[in-house]
Amino acid sequence: MEYTTLGDTGMEVSRLCLGCMSIGTSDWRDWVLDEEEGIELVERAIDLGINFFDTANMYSDGESERVLGKALEGQREDKVVATKGYFQMDEDDPNSGGLSRKAIEQELEHSLDRLGMDTVDLYQIHRWDYDTPIETTLRALDDAVRRGQVRYIGASSMWTYQFADALHTSDALGLERFATMQNHYNLAYREEEREMLPFCEQENVGVIPWSPMARGYLTRPDEDIDATTRGETEEYLYEHPYREGGGPEVNERVQQLAEERGVKMAQIALSWVLHKDWVDAPIVGTSTVEHLEDAVEALEIDLSDSDIEYLEEPYEPVPVSGHD
Ligand SMILES: NC(=O)c1ccc[n+]([C@@H]2O[C@H](COP(=O)([O-])OP(=O)(O)OC[C@H]3O[C@@H](n4cnc5c(N)ncnc54)[C@H](OP(=O)(O)O)[C@@H]3O)[C@@H](O)[C@H]2O)c1
């Protein structure tokens, strides 16, 4: 396994982060692994040298955090665990969502309880809260760091102007600064290259993209998009604009290059993300040990500048997707 320093945190993370949206309970989504298989996946990831895990309070309504915490029991000291808050957790409690001080304090406590941890390494805001001033959110997060419940804070999909506002506010007030950006980025969705990625590079913010294989769209030919349970049932696969613009042509070129190199499409798609200097560690989603092993093997694929140009060439701008 390769390791890299996450942004300017000084913390070393594996170049692949295991995305834990696929573990928790199949009651939440058909394609999600239940506890036993979820634990097996995490254990295999550890065997392969992965030390970085990403979950969220909303994944499987909290079950993802619980299963991850259980899988890491007794061996969490040398792991880096990231979770997130923002989405409403209890439909009868409007304060179980958003980024008010009340929501952050409550939901962070619940996350730590489920994870079975006193401190989480990275606590991320899952989205921008238009109803809470960023100063209020940052003060609550800063206090969580001072209390020792959180080591670093991070953000996820938002507009670059919002992220710039957040960094400026924390700098001006001497508060903890967002150390990471978890954004939507893959060969079929590259809108983040306009503003967010160069901005993160300039600010030394660690970049940990979500859906690096376009939620599976770049792991099989376009015509087979619905060939798996997730492909058949996951609405986001169709809501994201992967098939707009040059998407199908990008998909075809991923296939061609994979055939030429004798590797899998998923490995070419992941390798492309890994070749981008502004990316620290893509967050890989899988529900099988075999696919996890494919991801680790992708670290060994070397793409030339002309391979990268060939893969990128058909891309055309698409509507922004992943945040409002
Ligand atoms: N911050 C946010 O708003 C946000 C949003 C979405 C996701 N995330 C995070 O990002 C993580 C990854 O997201 P994701 O699951 O949407 O994206 P992904 O990694 O782009 O795609 C996962 C899909 O690719 C398939 N796949 C993976 N490796 C494969 C292989 N070798 N061969 C064939 N198919 C393969 C998986 O199928 P199998 O299950 O069959 O392997 C799954 O359907 C999540 O777990 C979560 O932690 C964050």
Side-chain angles (χ1 to χ4, degrees), residues 19 21 54 127 156 182 211 213 215 230 285-287 291 294:
M21 187 167 72
D54 177 71
R127 288 293 179 271
S156 182
Q182 178 174 153
S211 297
M213 292 170 278
R215 282 186 129 98
R230 185 167 172 186
T286 181
S287 56
H291 291 169
D294 289 346

Side-chain angles (χ1 to χ4, degrees), residues 46 244 272 310:
I46 294 170
E244 293 177 32
W272 176 83
Y310 175 72

Side-chain angles (χ1 to χ4, degrees), residues 68-255:
L68 177 64
K70 192 164 178 188
L72 297 180
E73 214 173 324
Q75 50 167 339
R76 79 151 315 263
E77 283 314 308
D78 53 354
K79 306 296 178 288
V80 175
V81 176
T83 193
K84 323 181 195 76
Y86 164 79
F87 290 104
Q88 191 166 332
M89 291 296 287
D90 176 352
E91 59 183 6
D92 298 324
D93 175 10
N95 286 311
S96 64
L99 299 173
S100 66
R101 174 176 286 276
K102 182 168 173 62
I104 287 176
E105 289 183 0
Q106 252 172 219
E107 293 311 313
L108 173 59
E109 283 285 351
H110 293 159
S111 287
L112 290 171
D113 277 357
R114 287 186 292 258
L115 285 162
M117 294 170 186
D118 298 325
T119 309
V120 71
D121 297 295
L122 179 64
Y123 192 66
Q124 306 155 101
I125 61 168
H126 213 150
R127 288 293 179 271
W128 185 262
D129 181 357
Y130 286 87
D131 297 326
T132 306
I134 189 65
E135 180 179 337
T136 302
T137 298
L138 285 166
R139 287 192 187 280
L141 291 171
D142 186 76
D143 287 344
V145 174
R146 307 295 143 224
R147 278 196 304 276
Q149 289 180 308
V150 171
R151 293 203 169 94
Y152 297 97
I153 61 170
S156 182
S157 294
M158 59 180 61
W159 296 102
T160 310
Y161 82 86
Q162 294 168 327
F163 196 43
D165 182 13
L167 293 189
H168 169 77
T169 304
S170 49
D171 291 349
L173 300 176
L175 300 172
E176 192 72 25
R177 202 171 199 262
F178 288 123
T180 55
M181 167 48 64
Q182 178 174 153
N183 56 347
H184 184 199
Y185 186 49
N186 56 60
L187 250 178
Y189 183 79
R190 291 172 45 210
E191 299 309 304
E192 296 288 290
E193 290 177 2
R194 294 170 187 278
E195 294 269 356
M196 186 58 93
L197 290 165
F199 180 64
C200 289
E201 195 165 46
Q202 176 192 292
E203 294 290 323
N204 272 330
V205 166
V207 172
I208 50 176
W210 56 264
S211 297
M213 292 170 278
R215 282 186 129 98
Y217 177 63
L218 296 174
T219 67
R220 50 190 181 270
D222 179 276
E223 60 274 20
D224 296 338
I225 188 169
D226 57 1
T228 65
T229 307
R230 185 167 172 186
E232 214 176 21
T233 59
E234 203 206 11
E235 67 206 54
Y236 294 109
L237 182 54
Y238 301 94
E239 280 174 11
H240 292 312
Y242 302 142
R243 289 173 120 174
E244 293 177 32
E249 177 69 23
V250 170
N251 178 291
E252 213 171 299
R253 291 193 183 199
V254 172
Q255 275 179 73

Side-chain angles (χ1 to χ4, degrees), residues 38-81:
I39 290 177
E40 274 169 28
L41 190 71
V42 173
E43 285 175 346
R44 184 67 186 128
I46 294 170
D47 285 348
L48 292 164
I50 291 176
N51 74 345
F52 190 18
F53 300 88
D54 177 71
T55 181
N57 59 352
M58 66 160 290
Y59 297 162
S60 289
D61 295 326
E63 278 297 285
S64 171
E65 290 180 322
R66 195 188 62 74
V67 173
L68 177 64
K70 192 164 178 188
L72 297 180
E73 214 173 324
Q75 50 167 339
R76 79 151 315 263
E77 283 314 308
D78 53 354
K79 306 296 178 288
V80 175
V81 176

Side-chain angles (χ1 to χ4, degrees), residues 1 16 45 48-50 267 270 274 291-301:
M1 180 49 61
L16 297 177
L48 292 164
I50 291 176
Q267 293 175 311
L270 191 58
L274 287 161
H291 291 169
L292 179 63
E293 292 167 351
D294 289 346
V296 175
E297 280 170 21
L299 287 164
E300 281 161 30
I301 296 174

